[in-house]
Amino acid sequence: MHARATTNTIAAWTLACLAGCGLDASTGDPVTGGAGGAVAGGSAPSGGGGSLGGNDGVGGAAGAEPHPTPQPGPVDEIIEQMEPGSWRALSGTPMKEVCPPPFHNYFCWSVVGAWGGATWDPNRDRMLVFGGGHADSYYNNIFAFDLGQMRWDRLTELPDGADGSQPTEAMQQIDLEPCGYYPIQSVQVPPSYVDGGYIRFEHCDASEIAPFLDDQQPRSTHTYNTLWFDAERDRFCTLGGSYYPSAQKSSPRTFCYDFGQSRWIGVADYPEASRGATSVDATGHLWVVPAAGGHLLELDPEAQAWTPYVSVNGLEGTGDIDRSRNQLVLFRRQTRELLRWDLTRPDQPHEMLPQGVDTPSLPERPGFVYADGLDRYVVWGGGRTVYFIDPADWTWSRDEATGDDPGEPQPNGTYGRFRYSVARGVFVLVNDTNQDVFLYKPTTSL
């Protein structure tokens, strides 16, 4: 077992100034600036290069050198004007403006509303959204909300031949779902490779199959809590899951979009193909609590090796790691209990944390995040109210915040779409593709 850091290490942040022209997501016509009114970059070829980013084709920041603080942006004046303990809607920032054209409301909305998650890119101070899946949406684009510029970008493109209202026929081939990638064309799968209507995963690399899979086009999926960001290697990553179009077979594929290479790459296969709650510790290692049972898992991204620890069973929820104390806490969906794992002793069972009189009644899948610097777990479950959990004694407090009201959360869950920008000291909420992005500036009375 490797030695684990017990002090918090915060990644450096970088933002890049972007210039050029993008595309209007509803018409496909050239426009100046992405959603939110800031300047966007030029388009890149379809198939994974990105379209509404900077000149490198992936949002304009790939390969940028890290800086200790983000470059100034229009959002900074807004944050400065916000009172502590208040919400602000960032006018003109609905994600729908960068969904693939021609605009289709349900396919676009489903990226968020159909069990869609997100993660935070601390290298550029932005939220990365990736979702869809099942019969809800075939969109496999990475969408990025640049906090500093208050702008959405669509970083990757749909397969050739698909657009915002229609997938290709090959994308709808169900028996290839376990392979995790959209096929370039329809493929005749040998009957001996099939079990229960789906190809067995071990045959996905066969000579009759692999050449017809586009490794730059991972299938869309319900992402729940399966997204994370590998800051050291500058990669956005996702575990395989409920793939478009049937969602009946999971896959051990683990995909990462490498911003340095401007392409998707495969990393170590997930050993227990099941959705789960992901979080990253202070050393950059990924931890997963599988939803359907298995083991507490750790991924060393440098060694590309998974390590299983203590058995877990049916612990679906939203979690994060207190990177100061090296402890993972899960807000369990079914019971709304808080469960804790000491990551210095990962072979030991979790403990149930006390549920005192301050424990609120929350939806099953709220926004739940550890805020580095604040040293609090922070929970959002709808409206202006924000809850804080002190990991020193596990007491709850609440802020009945003022300002703009984000409204009700998505009924299928918020997951990672409520995140904290350490660089700017605010929380960012993406609640709906048809709604502005919201900021919450935390109260000073913690």
Side-chain angles (χ1 to χ4, degrees):
M1 183 186 306
H2 65 78
R4 293 179 173 80
T6 56
T7 58
N8 183 31
T9 57
I10 307 299
W13 305 278
T14 181
L15 290 170
C17 295
L18 310 178
C21 293
L23 298 175
D24 184 288
S26 61
T27 66
D29 297 327
V31 296
T32 300
V39 180
S43 63
S46 97
S51 74
L52 293 182
N55 295 330
D56 57 9
V58 288
E65 292 298 322
H67 298 281
T69 56
Q71 295 181 7
V75 80
D76 295 314
E77 183 176 355
I78 292 174
I79 294 172
E80 179 66 25
Q81 294 171 353
M82 291 176 65
E83 293 292 330
S86 70
W87 288 88
R88 175 72 66 85
L90 299 179
S91 179
T93 58
M95 195 188 98
K96 69 177 183 179
E97 300 301 330
V98 293
C99 278
F103 179 71
H104 190 288
N105 185 63
Y106 185 72
F107 293 156
C108 179
W109 171 86
S110 295
V111 174
V112 164
W115 297 272
T119 191
W120 192 257
D121 173 359
N123 293 345
R124 299 169 185 81
D125 213 31
R126 64 184 180 179
M127 184 175 287
L128 301 176
V129 178
F130 183 77
H134 202 164
D136 295 291
S137 180
Y138 53 91
Y139 290 4
N140 64 347
N141 314 88
I142 303 173
F143 299 94
F145 180 71
D146 182 322
L147 177 56
Q149 300 300 319
M150 301 186 295
R151 183 194 60 247
W152 282 100
D153 295 304
R154 190 175 70 246
L155 304 186
T156 61
E157 290 302 298
L158 296 170
D160 289 338
D163 61 25
S165 63
Q166 184 65 47
T168 67
E169 181 179 351
M171 292 168 70
Q172 301 172 69
Q173 184 168 346
I174 290 176
D175 57 2
L176 285 176
E177 282 182 32
C179 296
Y181 296 110
Y182 283 129
I184 299 169
Q185 63 185 55
S186 297
V187 180
Q188 184 66 45
V189 181
S192 61
Y193 289 3
V194 176
D195 181 19
Y198 294 86
I199 190 171
R200 292 189 294 277
F201 178 73
E202 61 266 26
H203 295 302
C204 290
D205 293 327
S207 60
E208 304 97 325
I209 305 298
F212 302 101
L213 300 177
D214 189 342
D215 67 2
Q216 293 309 295
Q217 295 291 348
R219 286 181 180 262
S220 65
T221 177
H222 295 340
T223 46
Y224 299 94
N225 295 296
T226 62
L227 305 178
W228 79 97
F229 193 83
D230 180 348
E232 182 177 347
R233 276 152 285 276
D234 202 22
R235 295 172 178 172
F236 162 79
C237 303
T238 175
L239 302 177
S242 304
Y243 292 129
Y244 176 86
S246 80
Q248 298 306 301
K249 286 288 184 180
S250 292
S251 166
R253 297 280 193 203
T254 304
F255 309 100
C256 291
Y257 191 86
D258 188 304
F259 288 100
Q261 300 182 51
S262 302
R263 62 182 287 108
W264 286 98
I265 61 172
V267 296
D269 287 344
Y270 184 37
E272 298 175 0
S274 160
R275 66 176 182 266
T278 62
S279 48
V280 177
D281 68 18
T283 70
H285 285 210
L286 175 74
W287 293 81
V288 184
V289 181
H295 298 84
L296 176 67
L297 295 166
E298 178 187 18
L299 173 64
D300 180 338
E302 180 66 30
Q304 286 297 297
W306 288 92
T307 303
Y309 293 107
V310 66
S311 295
V312 297
N313 184 37
L315 299 182
E316 182 180 351
T318 302
D320 201 0
I321 292 173
D322 170 352
R323 285 165 283 275
S324 295
R325 299 171 182 83
N326 209 21
Q327 56 185 350
L328 190 162
V329 175
L330 183 81
F331 182 94
R332 189 180 183 188
R333 172 197 166 196
Q334 298 92 332
T335 61
R336 297 171 175 79
E337 298 166 326
L338 291 182
L339 310 179
R340 185 186 81 96
W341 286 263
D342 180 350
L343 298 184
T344 65
R345 300 183 301 155
D347 283 318
Q348 298 300 307
H350 67 267
E351 67 170 307
M352 187 179 301
L353 296 174
Q355 301 289 292
V357 295
D358 293 328
T359 303
S361 176
L362 285 162
E364 287 189 329
R365 300 177 174 108
F368 183 92
V369 64
Y370 177 77
D372 296 283
L374 294 182
D375 192 28
R376 293 291 189 276
Y377 282 96
V378 186
V379 192
W380 178 80
R384 298 187 188 92
T385 303
V386 180
Y387 298 93
F388 297 86
I389 307 170
D390 186 341
D393 58 13
W394 304 112
T395 56
W396 290 70
S397 60
R398 72 175 69 190
D399 179 22
E400 301 292 352
T402 60
D404 298 327
D405 188 346
E408 292 298 311
Q410 289 294 334
N412 293 324
T414 300
Y415 308 107
R417 292 180 282 101
F418 177 70
R419 294 283 180 169
Y420 184 59
S421 166
V422 181
R424 288 187 161 92
V426 292
F427 292 85
V428 181
L429 171 67
V430 175
N431 192 41
D432 194 302
T433 56
N434 298 308
Q435 187 180 37
D436 286 329
V437 175
F438 281 78
L439 300 185
Y440 167 69
K441 188 173 185 177
T443 177
T444 55
S445 58
L446 294 179

